[in-house]
């Protein structure tokens, strides 16, 4: 019997990184059956991009006018659509104490529980599963009982959940590693891409400025500020304005979109505190330099980079000496990240195959 996979699209819609990890998971799933996207309340442009250049992927509305996002799910239970598997969007999963988000997550868990009684297998794949808040722990307990498998995108998350007694937890790389650009340029680049989210830490802001200044003082490389989340425009423009008098500095004013991801071909390095800026750099064979502080919003970068042995590329400051070492070892570092990227892509494919074909 051919698999009929329902994919509940529930993510952030203003971030090309979230589009990327959804497309990557959908693409892998589509190798094992027909994938039906539940796109209720999904913005038109995001939906259009999800469906672009896919095979065996359709909207759920092509086989039913019902959605898994609400009370209609009851009638879907009694329908005869032949659904075999249910997945939802990857990424952070938890409420952080927000009751509304908690209830939404529990609703997804309830859907998994209900359809489990029909023999339909449900999964959480590629998530950071939050567990420290009491409400989130209840959610994990509920999902663990009613989900075939929970695959987290860091070993830190896997180990923490297993230590709490959850049994059906395992690792899968961030779905970004599943992306396979067709147009990677292997030529040596003289340009560094810089893209940051604003964090409320003035000392950290100063370290970002110092790092950029050290690059400009130590190398002849050009720096291009850019952003791929709309609300990062203001901060990256502020950084650019600080350095705009330097002839080697420019600003890409348009938010990076799906069709323009080959923009990464321009760079030899990326400097950022955004996870998918750094990981997109990796899959384009661009060396990722994560300049981080101790903010909880960037902890996932540390966890994910630890899991793929790239934690040496994470720093809390970038001195002139460190810049010099990066430049002198550029080709060596490119070989390292290329190997990691290929290994993680293969692991994603193996893990999804294990889920669907067992």
């Amino acid at each position: 019997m051919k698999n009929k996979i329902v994919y509940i699209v529930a993510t952030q819609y203003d971030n090309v990184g979230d589009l990327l990890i959804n497309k990557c998971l959908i693409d892998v799933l589509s190798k094992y059956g027909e994938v039906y996207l539940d796109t209720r309340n999904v913005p038109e442009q995001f939906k259009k991009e999800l469906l672009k250049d896919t095979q065996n992927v359709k909207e759920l509305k092509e086989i039913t006018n019902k959605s898994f996002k609400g009370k209609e799910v009851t009638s879907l239970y009694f329908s005869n659509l032949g659904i075999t598997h249910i997945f939802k969007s990857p990424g952070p999963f938890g409420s952080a104490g927000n009751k509304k988000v908690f209830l939404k997550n529990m609703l997804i868990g309830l859907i998994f529980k209900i359809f489990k009684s029909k023999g339909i297998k449900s999964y959480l794949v590629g998530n950071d599963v939050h567990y420290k808040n009491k409400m989130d722990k209840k959610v994990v307990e509920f999902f663990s009982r009613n989900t075939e498998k929970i695959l987290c995108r860091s070993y830190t998350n896997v180990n923490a959940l297993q230590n709490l007694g959850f049994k059906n937890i395992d690792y899968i790389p961030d779905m970004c590693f599943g992306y396979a650009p067709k147009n990677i340029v292997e030529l040596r680049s003289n340009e560094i891409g810089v893209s940051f989210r604003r964090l409320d830490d003035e000392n950290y802001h100063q370290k970002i400025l110092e790092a950029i200044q050290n690059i400009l003082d130590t190398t002849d490389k050009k720096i291009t500020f850019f952003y791929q989340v709309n609300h990062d425009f203001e901060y990256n423009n502020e950084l650019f304005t600080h350095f705009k008098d330097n002839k080697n500095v420019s600003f890409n004013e348009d938010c990076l979109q799906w069709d323009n991801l080959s923009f990464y071909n321009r760079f030899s390095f990326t400097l950022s505190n955004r996870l998918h800026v750094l990981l997109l750099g990796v899959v384009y064979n661009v060396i990722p330099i994560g300049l981080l502080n101790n903010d909880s919003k960037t902890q996932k970068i540390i966890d994910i980079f630890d899991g793929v042995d790239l934690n040496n590329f994470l720093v809390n400051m970038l001195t002139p000496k460190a810049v010099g070492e990066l430049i002198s070892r550029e080709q060596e570092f490119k070989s390292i990240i290329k190997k990691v990227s290929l290994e993680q892509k293969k692991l994603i494919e193996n893990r999804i195959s294990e889920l669907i074909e067992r």
Side-chain angles (χ1 to χ4, degrees):
M1 178 181 71
K2 190 170 184 180
N3 295 311
K4 296 184 78 170
I5 302 165
V6 166
Y7 186 97
I8 302 172
V9 183
T11 187
Q12 296 185 69
Y13 303 117
D14 65 343
N15 185 337
V16 73
D18 289 294
L19 174 63
L20 172 70
I21 59 178
N22 277 272
K23 281 186 73 71
C24 287
L25 179 51
I26 290 166
D27 183 58
V28 179
L29 292 174
S30 68
K31 297 176 182 179
Y32 300 96
E34 296 173 343
V35 180
Y36 293 91
L37 308 183
D38 189 342
T39 55
R40 174 72 62 86
N41 299 326
V42 175
E44 241 355 92
Q45 186 59 36
F46 194 92
K47 179 169 60 177
K48 179 182 176 182
E49 298 291 355
L50 271 187
L51 290 163
K52 186 182 293 183
D53 300 324
T54 59
Q55 293 184 341
N56 300 326
V57 181
K58 305 173 184 177
E59 289 188 75
L60 183 62
K61 68 181 182 182
E62 293 197 20
I63 57 173
T64 177
N65 61 355
K66 308 298 182 184
S67 169
F68 284 78
K69 301 177 181 180
K71 297 178 181 178
E72 304 167 357
V73 70
T74 304
S75 58
L76 280 172
Y77 177 82
F78 293 104
S79 65
N80 190 26
L81 298 177
I83 297 167
T84 57
H85 302 79
I86 303 175
F87 290 78
K88 71 168 291 296
S89 294
F93 185 73
S95 69
N98 185 309
K99 290 184 179 180
K100 186 176 181 180
V101 176
F102 166 75
L103 291 174
K104 284 184 177 180
N105 289 340
M106 287 299 285
L107 177 60
I108 297 288
L110 184 60
I111 290 169
F112 286 8
K113 176 180 173 65
I114 292 170
F115 281 85
K116 182 179 181 181
S117 68
K118 291 188 71 172
I120 297 172
K121 297 178 178 180
S122 301
Y123 303 90
L124 286 182
V125 173
N127 297 96
D128 300 312
V129 179
H130 300 174
Y131 59 89
K132 293 182 180 179
N133 180 276
K134 287 184 179 180
M135 288 194 294
D136 287 337
K137 188 174 180 181
K138 288 181 180 179
V139 171
V140 182
E141 290 172 349
F142 192 63
F143 270 83
S144 184
R145 291 196 302 270
N146 299 295
T147 303
E148 293 292 317
K149 202 83 173 178
I150 298 174
L151 297 182
C152 304
R153 60 182 180 176
S154 78
Y155 286 108
T156 300
N157 204 189
V158 170
N159 294 335
L161 294 174
Q162 288 179 341
N163 288 338
L164 289 172
F166 301 114
K167 304 297 184 184
N168 57 339
I169 312 292
D170 210 338
Y171 170 76
I172 192 169
D174 185 282
M175 295 308 303
C176 183
F177 285 109
Y179 181 51
K182 298 177 182 178
N183 51 355
I184 295 180
V185 175
E186 297 284 356
L187 299 177
R188 186 184 291 269
S189 166
N190 196 43
E191 192 170 350
I192 294 174
V194 175
S195 185
F196 281 90
R197 69 190 302 171
R198 187 190 297 278
L199 299 175
D200 295 325
D201 182 337
E202 182 59 30
N203 289 333
Y204 176 58
H205 172 68
Q206 291 302 318
K207 285 188 176 182
I208 293 173
L209 296 178
E210 289 170 11
I212 296 167
Q213 188 63 58
N214 288 338
I215 292 171
L216 292 170
D217 290 344
T218 309
T219 78
D220 63 351
K221 286 188 180 288
K222 297 179 180 180
I223 287 180
T224 299
F225 292 94
F226 72 102
Y227 62 105
Q228 58 191 44
V229 182
N230 281 314
H231 53 258
D232 286 351
F233 168 85
E234 183 180 351
Y235 187 54
N236 286 285
N237 187 48
E238 179 182 325
L239 293 173
F240 163 69
T241 301
H242 184 89
F243 294 101
K244 67 178 182 180
D245 292 336
N246 189 300
K247 62 182 178 61
N248 284 336
V249 172
S250 63
F251 181 44
N252 189 72
E253 294 192 4
D254 295 325
C255 188
L256 193 62
Q257 302 296 322
W258 176 258
D259 287 337
N260 298 320
L261 291 185
S262 60
F263 183 78
Y264 278 89
N265 277 326
R266 300 169 55 161
F267 304 133
S268 55
F269 298 85
T270 53
L271 179 68
S272 184
N273 61 6
R274 278 279 184 192
L275 174 64
H276 288 115
V277 169
L278 296 168
L279 291 188
L280 269 168
V282 171
V283 297
Y284 272 94
N285 205 30
V286 177
I287 299 166
I289 307 301
L291 179 58
L292 309 178
N293 63 355
N294 59 359
D295 194 287
S296 60
K297 292 179 181 177
T298 59
Q299 181 61 45
K300 61 186 176 184
I301 299 175
I302 297 171
D303 294 342
I304 289 170
F305 272 59
D306 278 348
V308 296
D309 292 328
L310 292 179
N311 50 350
N312 287 339
F313 294 98
L314 304 180
V315 298
N316 57 21
M317 66 176 61
L318 196 60
T319 64
K321 181 179 179 181
V323 172
E325 182 177 5
L326 288 170
I327 300 301
S328 66
R329 300 177 65 187
E330 182 174 337
Q331 294 309 307
E332 175 191 347
F333 289 149
K334 281 183 175 290
S335 296
I336 291 171
I337 63 170
K338 186 173 186 178
K339 180 181 178 183
V340 167
S341 185
L342 291 172
E343 289 173 346
Q344 299 304 302
K345 186 179 191 315
K346 184 64 176 176
L347 185 52
I348 286 174
E349 293 169 351
N350 290 342
R351 286 291 160 84
I352 298 299
S353 175
E354 290 167 3
L355 294 185
I356 304 293
E357 296 190 333
R358 64 176 181 164

